[in-house]
Amino acid sequence: MGDFLEKVEKKEYTIVNLVAVSNLGANLDLFNIAVSIPSVEYEPEQFPGAIMRLPEPKMTITLFKNGKINCAGAQKESDIPRGIINTCKLLKEITPGLKIPTNPEYKIVNLVANTQLDLKIDLFNLATKLDNVEYEPEQFPGAIVRLFDPKISLLLFKNGKMICAGAKSEKEIVDAIARIKKLLK
């Protein structure tokens, strides 16, 4: 019984990036925010959002005039609400009358994870046998496997390393790893 529990609790992947979206429910003055907060970059002629780099938790928050925000770079889900709350505090300091929630809701839209499949992969053979695989070694050393339902992209390398992108939950990552292992056998 102990062996089974150890296998269930041990993750076979590492989350390297979480991306979430939220809405602060207020219009934001991006120019004023960029002038007032040193960690904010705002170049509207190049991109319509202001980019804020938070040191703690380490992540990037992209702010838009309509109050929508994107949070990227978190390595665990608990960082997302902390990053949003820290952003709200900074915004309230420079615009005291701003009405934004103290604990805005968010939705995870992308999880990126790494894993090691512990096997060598013949990428050329994989690409010739499966329809949903792109492999052009002159341009990129890995094969791109596209899974559907849920829509997830897997980057596979010949040494067995895999990057999983597009998942919306950790369950989707676990399922994608199981599906690719089954395909490779």
Side-chain angles (χ1 to χ4, degrees), residues 23-29 32-33 36-37 40 52 63 83-104:
N23 191 338
L24 303 181
N27 288 328
L28 303 175
D29 179 352
N32 184 40
I33 292 168
S36 304
I37 303 173
V40 175
M52 177 187 298
L63 305 155
I84 294 171
I85 290 167
N86 289 352
T87 299
C88 290
K89 285 178 185 175
L90 284 170
L91 295 176
K92 284 181 180 180
E93 284 175 16
I94 62 167
T95 315
L98 190 64
K99 299 266 191 246
I100 52 179
T102 53
N103 197 9

mmCIF file of all heavy atoms in Angstrom, residues 23-29 32-33 36-37 40 52 63 83-104:
data_model
loop_
_atom_site.group_PDB
_atom_site.id
_atom_site.type_symbol
_atom_site.label_atom_id
_atom_site.label_comp_id
_atom_site.label_asym_id
_atom_site.label_seq_id
_atom_site.Cartn_x
_atom_site.Cartn_y
_atom_site.Cartn_z
ATOM 1 N N ASN A 23 -10.259 40.366 -14.163
ATOM 2 C CA ASN A 23 -10.816 41.667 -14.514
ATOM 3 C C ASN A 23 -10.966 42.461 -13.226
ATOM 4 O O ASN A 23 -11.657 42.020 -12.300
ATOM 5 C CB ASN A 23 -12.167 41.498 -15.218
ATOM 6 C CG ASN A 23 -12.654 42.791 -15.835
ATOM 7 O OD1 ASN A 23 -12.248 43.884 -15.448
ATOM 8 N ND2 ASN A 23 -13.544 42.676 -16.796
ATOM 9 N N LEU A 24 -10.339 43.619 -13.172
ATOM 10 C CA LEU A 24 -10.398 44.461 -11.980
ATOM 11 C C LEU A 24 -11.681 45.287 -11.929
ATOM 12 O O LEU A 24 -11.963 45.938 -10.927
ATOM 13 C CB LEU A 24 -9.166 45.372 -11.914
ATOM 14 C CG LEU A 24 -7.815 44.651 -11.925
ATOM 15 C CD1 LEU A 24 -6.679 45.656 -11.836
ATOM 16 C CD2 LEU A 24 -7.726 43.629 -10.811
ATOM 17 N N GLY A 25 -12.446 45.280 -13.008
ATOM 18 C CA GLY A 25 -13.741 45.956 -13.013
ATOM 19 C C GLY A 25 -13.663 47.470 -12.971
ATOM 20 O O GLY A 25 -14.594 48.127 -12.497
ATOM 21 N N ALA A 26 -12.571 48.045 -13.423
ATOM 22 C CA ALA A 26 -12.422 49.507 -13.428
ATOM 23 C C ALA A 26 -11.535 49.899 -14.597
ATOM 24 O O ALA A 26 -10.657 49.136 -15.010
ATOM 25 C CB ALA A 26 -11.788 49.979 -12.125
ATOM 26 N N ASN A 27 -11.763 51.091 -15.151
ATOM 27 C CA ASN A 27 -10.886 51.606 -16.197
ATOM 28 C C ASN A 27 -9.577 52.055 -15.567
ATOM 29 O O ASN A 27 -9.576 52.647 -14.486
ATOM 30 C CB ASN A 27 -11.553 52.764 -16.941
ATOM 31 C CG ASN A 27 -12.683 52.283 -17.823
ATOM 32 O OD1 ASN A 27 -12.643 51.175 -18.351
ATOM 33 N ND2 ASN A 27 -13.705 53.101 -17.973
ATOM 34 N N LEU A 28 -8.488 51.763 -16.239
ATOM 35 C CA LEU A 28 -7.164 52.085 -15.706
ATOM 36 C C LEU A 28 -6.492 53.159 -16.560
ATOM 37 O O LEU A 28 -6.548 53.104 -17.784
ATOM 38 C CB LEU A 28 -6.290 50.832 -15.677
ATOM 39 C CG LEU A 28 -6.822 49.633 -14.877
ATOM 40 C CD1 LEU A 28 -5.895 48.443 -15.047
ATOM 41 C CD2 LEU A 28 -6.995 49.990 -13.411
ATOM 42 N N ASP A 29 -5.839 54.098 -15.889
ATOM 43 C CA ASP A 29 -5.053 55.129 -16.567
ATOM 44 C C ASP A 29 -3.626 54.594 -16.694
ATOM 45 O O ASP A 29 -2.798 54.767 -15.787
ATOM 46 C CB ASP A 29 -5.092 56.429 -15.760
ATOM 47 C CG ASP A 29 -4.283 57.554 -16.394
ATOM 48 O OD1 ASP A 29 -3.565 57.303 -17.392
ATOM 49 O OD2 ASP A 29 -4.369 58.686 -15.877
ATOM 50 N N ASN A 32 -0.602 57.089 -16.316
ATOM 51 C CA ASN A 32 -0.358 57.469 -14.918
ATOM 52 C C ASN A 32 0.286 56.316 -14.149
ATOM 53 O O ASN A 32 1.199 56.524 -13.346
ATOM 54 C CB ASN A 32 -1.668 57.901 -14.247
ATOM 55 C CG ASN A 32 -1.442 58.388 -12.825
ATOM 56 O OD1 ASN A 32 -0.479 59.082 -12.530
ATOM 57 N ND2 ASN A 32 -2.342 57.998 -11.944
ATOM 58 N N ILE A 33 -0.170 55.096 -14.410
ATOM 59 C CA ILE A 33 0.396 53.924 -13.731
ATOM 60 C C ILE A 33 1.873 53.775 -14.098
ATOM 61 O O ILE A 33 2.723 53.573 -13.228
ATOM 62 C CB ILE A 33 -0.402 52.651 -14.105
ATOM 63 C CG1 ILE A 33 -1.814 52.727 -13.494
ATOM 64 C CG2 ILE A 33 0.321 51.391 -13.657
ATOM 65 C CD1 ILE A 33 -2.779 51.682 -14.029
ATOM 66 N N SER A 36 4.004 56.441 -12.426
ATOM 67 C CA SER A 36 4.052 56.340 -10.966
ATOM 68 C C SER A 36 4.741 55.096 -10.429
ATOM 69 O O SER A 36 5.228 55.097 -9.301
ATOM 70 C CB SER A 36 2.626 56.377 -10.407
ATOM 71 O OG SER A 36 1.959 57.537 -10.843
ATOM 72 N N ILE A 37 4.758 54.021 -11.198
ATOM 73 C CA ILE A 37 5.341 52.758 -10.714
ATOM 74 C C ILE A 37 6.548 52.417 -11.584
ATOM 75 O O ILE A 37 6.406 52.145 -12.780
ATOM 76 C CB ILE A 37 4.300 51.615 -10.752
ATOM 77 C CG1 ILE A 37 3.061 51.987 -9.925
ATOM 78 C CG2 ILE A 37 4.910 50.315 -10.237
ATOM 79 C CD1 ILE A 37 1.910 50.995 -10.046
ATOM 80 N N VAL A 40 6.801 49.405 -14.192
ATOM 81 C CA VAL A 40 5.810 49.306 -15.261
ATOM 82 C C VAL A 40 6.363 49.903 -16.555
ATOM 83 O O VAL A 40 6.886 51.006 -16.559
ATOM 84 C CB VAL A 40 4.487 50.016 -14.871
ATOM 85 C CG1 VAL A 40 3.500 50.024 -16.033
ATOM 86 C CG2 VAL A 40 3.859 49.344 -13.655
ATOM 87 N N MET A 52 3.756 45.154 -16.010
ATOM 88 C CA MET A 52 4.276 45.331 -14.655
ATOM 89 C C MET A 52 5.000 44.054 -14.235
ATOM 90 O O MET A 52 4.459 42.967 -14.346
ATOM 91 C CB MET A 52 3.124 45.601 -13.676
ATOM 92 C CG MET A 52 3.568 45.718 -12.232
ATOM 93 S SD MET A 52 2.193 45.824 -11.056
ATOM 94 C CE MET A 52 1.404 47.320 -11.581
ATOM 95 N N LEU A 63 -1.507 44.921 -17.801
ATOM 96 C CA LEU A 63 -2.710 45.691 -17.478
ATOM 97 C C LEU A 63 -3.265 46.318 -18.753
ATOM 98 O O LEU A 63 -2.502 46.845 -19.564
ATOM 99 C CB LEU A 63 -2.359 46.815 -16.498
ATOM 100 C CG LEU A 63 -1.672 46.412 -15.198
ATOM 101 C CD1 LEU A 63 -0.860 47.570 -14.648
ATOM 102 C CD2 LEU A 63 -2.698 45.966 -14.194
ATOM 103 N N GLY A 83 -0.243 37.768 -6.507
ATOM 104 C CA GLY A 83 0.201 38.743 -7.495
ATOM 105 C C GLY A 83 -0.888 39.749 -7.826
ATOM 106 O O GLY A 83 -0.630 40.947 -7.939
ATOM 107 N N ILE A 84 -2.116 39.273 -7.958
ATOM 108 C CA ILE A 84 -3.237 40.166 -8.262
ATOM 109 C C ILE A 84 -3.493 41.119 -7.100
ATOM 110 O O ILE A 84 -3.679 42.326 -7.301
ATOM 111 C CB ILE A 84 -4.509 39.359 -8.614
ATOM 112 C CG1 ILE A 84 -4.299 38.583 -9.922
ATOM 113 C CG2 ILE A 84 -5.722 40.281 -8.730
ATOM 114 C CD1 ILE A 84 -5.411 37.590 -10.246
ATOM 115 N N ILE A 85 -3.467 40.609 -5.884
ATOM 116 C CA ILE A 85 -3.688 41.457 -4.699
ATOM 117 C C ILE A 85 -2.580 42.500 -4.575
ATOM 118 O O ILE A 85 -2.846 43.677 -4.310
ATOM 119 C CB ILE A 85 -3.818 40.586 -3.428
ATOM 120 C CG1 ILE A 85 -5.140 39.814 -3.470
ATOM 121 C CG2 ILE A 85 -3.711 41.436 -2.162
ATOM 122 C CD1 ILE A 85 -5.262 38.702 -2.450
ATOM 123 N N ASN A 86 -1.329 42.089 -4.795
ATOM 124 C CA ASN A 86 -0.214 43.053 -4.741
ATOM 125 C C ASN A 86 -0.373 44.131 -5.806
ATOM 126 O O ASN A 86 -0.106 45.314 -5.562
ATOM 127 C CB ASN A 86 1.130 42.341 -4.914
ATOM 128 C CG ASN A 86 1.511 41.504 -3.711
ATOM 129 O OD1 ASN A 86 0.849 41.555 -2.671
ATOM 130 N ND2 ASN A 86 2.548 40.708 -3.843
ATOM 131 N N THR A 87 -0.828 43.737 -6.997
ATOM 132 C CA THR A 87 -1.075 44.701 -8.073
ATOM 133 C C THR A 87 -2.172 45.679 -7.662
ATOM 134 O O THR A 87 -2.029 46.898 -7.851
ATOM 135 C CB THR A 87 -1.474 43.963 -9.367
ATOM 136 O OG1 THR A 87 -0.376 43.104 -9.745
ATOM 137 C CG2 THR A 87 -1.785 44.924 -10.494
ATOM 138 N N CYS A 88 -3.263 45.169 -7.107
ATOM 139 C CA CYS A 88 -4.369 46.028 -6.662
ATOM 140 C C CYS A 88 -3.908 47.029 -5.604
ATOM 141 O O CYS A 88 -4.297 48.196 -5.638
ATOM 142 C CB CYS A 88 -5.522 45.184 -6.126
ATOM 143 S SG CYS A 88 -6.385 44.248 -7.401
ATOM 144 N N LYS A 89 -3.069 46.574 -4.673
ATOM 145 C CA LYS A 89 -2.552 47.479 -3.632
ATOM 146 C C LYS A 89 -1.742 48.614 -4.262
ATOM 147 O O LYS A 89 -1.893 49.770 -3.882
ATOM 148 C CB LYS A 89 -1.678 46.706 -2.632
ATOM 149 C CG LYS A 89 -2.468 45.849 -1.675
ATOM 150 C CD LYS A 89 -1.529 45.078 -0.755
ATOM 151 C CE LYS A 89 -2.288 44.121 0.125
ATOM 152 N NZ LYS A 89 -1.394 43.276 0.944
ATOM 153 N N LEU A 90 -0.872 48.259 -5.220
ATOM 154 C CA LEU A 90 -0.068 49.286 -5.893
ATOM 155 C C LEU A 90 -0.962 50.280 -6.633
ATOM 156 O O LEU A 90 -0.745 51.494 -6.579
ATOM 157 C CB LEU A 90 0.903 48.650 -6.890
ATOM 158 C CG LEU A 90 2.135 47.973 -6.315
ATOM 159 C CD1 LEU A 90 2.861 47.174 -7.404
ATOM 160 C CD2 LEU A 90 3.067 49.005 -5.711
ATOM 161 N N LEU A 91 -1.977 49.773 -7.322
ATOM 162 C CA LEU A 91 -2.877 50.647 -8.074
ATOM 163 C C LEU A 91 -3.666 51.570 -7.150
ATOM 164 O O LEU A 91 -3.872 52.741 -7.461
ATOM 165 C CB LEU A 91 -3.828 49.818 -8.944
ATOM 166 C CG LEU A 91 -3.170 49.006 -10.059
ATOM 167 C CD1 LEU A 91 -4.204 48.149 -10.782
ATOM 168 C CD2 LEU A 91 -2.438 49.909 -11.042
ATOM 169 N N LYS A 92 -4.095 51.054 -6.000
ATOM 170 C CA LYS A 92 -4.855 51.869 -5.041
ATOM 171 C C LYS A 92 -3.969 52.953 -4.412
ATOM 172 O O LYS A 92 -4.448 54.024 -4.080
ATOM 173 C CB LYS A 92 -5.486 50.998 -3.964
ATOM 174 C CG LYS A 92 -6.708 50.243 -4.468
ATOM 175 C CD LYS A 92 -7.327 49.393 -3.370
ATOM 176 C CE LYS A 92 -8.529 48.651 -3.911
ATOM 177 N NZ LYS A 92 -9.162 47.815 -2.886
ATOM 178 N N GLU A 93 -2.665 52.659 -4.260
ATOM 179 C CA GLU A 93 -1.750 53.659 -3.703
ATOM 180 C C GLU A 93 -1.621 54.871 -4.617
ATOM 181 O O GLU A 93 -1.536 56.001 -4.138
ATOM 182 C CB GLU A 93 -0.353 53.054 -3.483
ATOM 183 C CG GLU A 93 -0.246 52.145 -2.281
ATOM 184 C CD GLU A 93 1.117 51.471 -2.179
ATOM 185 O OE1 GLU A 93 2.082 51.919 -2.847
ATOM 186 O OE2 GLU A 93 1.216 50.481 -1.435
ATOM 187 N N ILE A 94 -1.588 54.641 -5.921
ATOM 188 C CA ILE A 94 -1.406 55.773 -6.836
ATOM 189 C C ILE A 94 -2.724 56.397 -7.283
ATOM 190 O O ILE A 94 -2.738 57.528 -7.752
ATOM 191 C CB ILE A 94 -0.553 55.387 -8.072
ATOM 192 C CG1 ILE A 94 -1.233 54.303 -8.884
ATOM 193 C CG2 ILE A 94 0.835 54.999 -7.664
ATOM 194 C CD1 ILE A 94 -0.613 54.102 -10.240
ATOM 195 N N THR A 95 -3.823 55.659 -7.124
ATOM 196 C CA THR A 95 -5.155 56.176 -7.469
ATOM 197 C C THR A 95 -6.110 55.804 -6.341
ATOM 198 O O THR A 95 -6.868 54.832 -6.446
ATOM 199 C CB THR A 95 -5.655 55.565 -8.811
ATOM 200 O OG1 THR A 95 -4.603 55.603 -9.763
ATOM 201 C CG2 THR A 95 -6.860 56.308 -9.345
ATOM 202 N N PRO A 96 -6.082 56.542 -5.222
ATOM 203 C CA PRO A 96 -6.877 56.174 -4.039
ATOM 204 C C PRO A 96 -8.376 56.008 -4.306
ATOM 205 O O PRO A 96 -9.028 55.192 -3.686
ATOM 206 C CB PRO A 96 -6.630 57.321 -3.061
ATOM 207 C CG PRO A 96 -5.366 57.958 -3.520
ATOM 208 C CD PRO A 96 -5.302 57.738 -4.997
ATOM 209 N N GLY A 97 -8.938 56.743 -5.253
ATOM 210 C CA GLY A 97 -10.371 56.652 -5.535
ATOM 211 C C GLY A 97 -10.761 55.484 -6.426
ATOM 212 O O GLY A 97 -11.947 55.251 -6.674
ATOM 213 N N LEU A 98 -9.793 54.733 -6.881
ATOM 214 C CA LEU A 98 -10.051 53.621 -7.798
ATOM 215 C C LEU A 98 -10.842 52.527 -7.075
ATOM 216 O O LEU A 98 -10.454 52.063 -6.004
ATOM 217 C CB LEU A 98 -8.720 53.064 -8.311
ATOM 218 C CG LEU A 98 -8.770 52.058 -9.437
ATOM 219 C CD1 LEU A 98 -9.349 52.692 -10.706
ATOM 220 C CD2 LEU A 98 -7.378 51.526 -9.712
ATOM 221 N N LYS A 99 -11.947 52.134 -7.652
ATOM 222 C CA LYS A 99 -12.797 51.089 -7.061
ATOM 223 C C LYS A 99 -12.467 49.758 -7.733
ATOM 224 O O LYS A 99 -12.941 49.458 -8.817
ATOM 225 C CB LYS A 99 -14.274 51.419 -7.282
ATOM 226 C CG LYS A 99 -14.713 52.718 -6.647
ATOM 227 C CD LYS A 99 -15.296 52.455 -5.285
ATOM 228 C CE LYS A 99 -15.981 53.697 -4.754
ATOM 229 N NZ LYS A 99 -15.350 54.257 -3.611
ATOM 230 N N ILE A 100 -11.610 48.994 -7.071
ATOM 231 C CA ILE A 100 -11.299 47.651 -7.560
ATOM 232 C C ILE A 100 -11.477 46.681 -6.404
ATOM 233 O O ILE A 100 -11.280 47.034 -5.245
ATOM 234 C CB ILE A 100 -9.870 47.552 -8.164
ATOM 235 C CG1 ILE A 100 -8.809 48.080 -7.213
ATOM 236 C CG2 ILE A 100 -9.784 48.241 -9.493
ATOM 237 C CD1 ILE A 100 -7.399 47.978 -7.738
ATOM 238 N N PRO A 101 -11.871 45.439 -6.707
ATOM 239 C CA PRO A 101 -12.101 44.465 -5.636
ATOM 240 C C PRO A 101 -10.813 44.138 -4.875
ATOM 241 O O PRO A 101 -9.719 44.222 -5.433
ATOM 242 C CB PRO A 101 -12.649 43.234 -6.364
ATOM 243 C CG PRO A 101 -12.337 43.434 -7.801
ATOM 244 C CD PRO A 101 -12.125 44.893 -8.028
ATOM 245 N N THR A 102 -10.973 43.781 -3.610
ATOM 246 C CA THR A 102 -9.795 43.444 -2.810
ATOM 247 C C THR A 102 -9.284 42.040 -3.136
ATOM 248 O O THR A 102 -8.125 41.736 -2.901
ATOM 249 C CB THR A 102 -10.109 43.526 -1.300
ATOM 250 O OG1 THR A 102 -11.264 42.726 -1.035
ATOM 251 C CG2 THR A 102 -10.350 44.961 -0.863
ATOM 252 N N ASN A 103 -10.147 41.190 -3.678
ATOM 253 C CA ASN A 103 -9.739 39.827 -3.998
ATOM 254 C C ASN A 103 -10.405 39.387 -5.308
ATOM 255 O O ASN A 103 -11.324 38.578 -5.297
ATOM 256 C CB ASN A 103 -10.116 38.887 -2.846
ATOM 257 C CG ASN A 103 -9.376 37.580 -2.903
ATOM 258 O OD1 ASN A 103 -8.460 37.408 -3.688
ATOM 259 N ND2 ASN A 103 -9.801 36.644 -2.078
ATOM 260 N N PRO A 104 -9.952 39.932 -6.449
ATOM 261 C CA PRO A 104 -10.605 39.626 -7.732
ATOM 262 C C PRO A 104 -10.507 38.145 -8.106
ATOM 263 O O PRO A 104 -9.547 37.465 -7.767
ATOM 264 C CB PRO A 104 -9.827 40.464 -8.747
ATOM 265 C CG PRO A 104 -9.008 41.401 -7.957
ATOM 266 C CD PRO A 104 -8.827 40.819 -6.602
#
